[in-house]
Amino acid sequence: MEIKALRTFIAVAETGSFTRAGQRLSVSQSAVSQQIRILEKDVGTPLFTRRARNVTPTQAGNVLLPYARQITAKADEAAAVISDFEGMGRGRVAIGAGGAICHHVLPSILSEFSARFSKIEIQVLSGFTMETLDRTLDGTVDVGLLVLPITTGGLTATELGRDELVAIAPRGHRWESLERVRARDFTAEQVVVYNRSSRTFRTLERFLLEDGVFPKFGMEISDLEAVKKMVEVGLGVSVVAAWAARREVDDGAIISRPLAPRGLYRTWGLVRRSGETATASHRAFINICKSRFASLLSSER
């Protein structure tokens, strides 16, 4: 069965007339009749009962009609996907994210994206949260990957997954004997912090202050890799995302422990300008983020 014949069949069934079906499809009545004859030959039975003023589907025609609609709808969907795919050959995706996401998460996502859509130009701009929000809002980047929630107007967020913050310390530290690190365990510790303007710092500060703990924030470093190195050589302890410390923990360079009593978690999301229609290349990137981001954040890898 040909798609063209099925479309003609649907038009005749819905209009009750070969003439009106031809008008809908912008073809002649004879062309409609020809397509119906082709389809009836394919199925081996009449599909319409012809009357003086109209035509109605036969029993076989009524059986075929819902299938014809499904088949043509799928054909339209496939054509749209192919059209988008071809359009992506000229696309570009500009992504804004923090340095840690660029270092630990984006490489896997962009590797898959590039393998599937090799002609798409990829641009990545790293920066702190406010920089990424501003860049997304002014159109410098198409999407931003951030910790939620956001309060900036004009942006829409899509939740991607949660991660867990863990306490890290050098090997041989007293925390090695603990199953979980409590807020009061930070008392008298030198805490190396990652950027006081970050969501991670504010989350840690709230966790400690709610328990009446006023820690010593000895170092503030805007490079997560440097934070971990300071901890590794014994210059303090810190709190980082479990996924960001996974390699050093696996290598035995540092130890990590979840935070008491129930862990400390953040929600990550993808932000875009509100009301802006996503291009095919943007949708492809967003879909890969939705399918991969949460697993890359998981501490159970």
Side-chain angles (χ1 to χ4, degrees):
M1 287 181 279
E2 296 182 4
I3 296 296
K4 183 178 180 181
L6 289 173
R7 293 190 194 282
T8 305
F9 165 71
I10 293 169
V12 174
E14 290 179 348
T15 63
S17 164
F18 280 50
T19 301
R20 287 192 292 272
Q23 292 170 347
R24 175 190 287 190
L25 299 172
S26 299
V27 298
S28 66
Q29 180 180 336
S30 61
V32 171
S33 298
Q34 182 183 21
Q35 289 299 316
I36 296 302
R37 284 196 299 271
I38 291 172
L39 188 58
E40 288 179 330
K41 182 178 180 181
D42 286 341
V43 299
T45 187
L47 296 172
F48 291 102
T49 299
R50 279 79 167 171
R51 295 189 174 89
R53 295 188 177 182
N54 65 355
V55 295
T56 57
T58 62
Q59 185 175 1
N62 283 321
V63 170
L64 177 61
L65 186 57
Y67 291 101
R69 287 173 173 148
Q70 291 175 24
I71 292 168
T72 54
K74 285 296 182 183
D76 290 341
E77 181 182 334
V81 170
I82 294 299
S83 176
D84 274 356
F85 184 81
E86 290 177 345
M88 284 192 287
R90 299 179 296 277
R92 185 200 77 141
V93 180
I95 304 146
I101 289 292
C102 290
H103 188 98
H104 294 275
V105 177
L106 266 184
S108 294
I109 290 175
L110 292 181
S111 175
E112 179 176 338
F113 181 82
S114 183
R116 292 171 59 182
F117 310 109
S118 59
K119 295 182 180 180
I120 303 301
E121 178 188 350
I122 300 170
Q123 182 180 11
V124 178
L125 292 177
S126 66
F128 297 128
T129 296
M130 288 309 302
E131 290 177 291
T132 299
L133 286 171
D134 289 343
R135 287 168 176 168
T136 307
L137 202 55
D138 68 19
T140 303
V141 299
D142 303 305
V143 297
L145 300 172
L146 301 164
V147 174
L148 301 181
I150 59 169
T151 56
T152 305
L155 296 174
T156 301
T158 300
E159 188 173 318
L160 295 176
R162 292 202 314 164
D163 67 354
E164 182 178 9
L165 295 175
V166 295
I168 60 172
R171 288 185 302 172
H173 192 274
R174 63 188 180 89
W175 288 354
E176 268 190 317
S177 63
L178 303 178
E179 288 188 8
R180 288 181 176 270
V181 173
R182 301 159 299 180
R184 63 176 177 267
D185 293 320
F186 283 84
T187 303
E189 293 289 348
Q190 191 85 350
V191 182
V192 183
V193 298
Y194 171 74
N195 182 23
R196 286 175 184 261
S197 67
S198 69
R199 290 278 179 85
T200 300
F201 175 78
R202 294 200 295 272
T203 302
L204 169 62
E205 187 177 45
R206 185 169 59 251
F207 167 74
L208 297 173
L209 294 181
E210 284 177 353
D211 222 33
V213 175
F214 299 89
K216 298 176 183 177
F217 293 125
M219 297 184 187
E220 178 184 352
I221 305 174
S222 298
D223 183 333
L224 185 59
E225 301 307 303
V227 169
K228 292 183 291 183
K229 198 66 179 178
M230 294 297 183
V231 171
E232 180 183 339
V233 300
L235 294 176
V237 299
S238 191
V239 169
V240 300
W243 50 264
R246 186 177 294 123
R247 184 187 62 199
E248 290 82 1
V249 171
D250 289 346
D251 290 345
I254 60 176
I255 65 165
S256 73
R257 294 292 184 271
L259 294 163
R262 293 175 297 277
L264 203 58
Y265 297 89
R266 303 176 300 180
T267 300
W268 284 84
L270 181 149
V271 297
R272 299 180 58 251
R273 287 176 295 285
S274 300
E276 184 173 88
T277 301
T279 66
S281 52
H282 298 166
R283 290 197 301 273
F285 176 76
I286 291 168
N287 287 336
I288 291 177
C289 282
K290 287 179 178 178
S291 67
R292 293 293 313 283
F293 206 90
S295 64
L296 292 170
L297 295 180
S298 172
S299 59
E300 301 300 325
R301 292 178 65 211

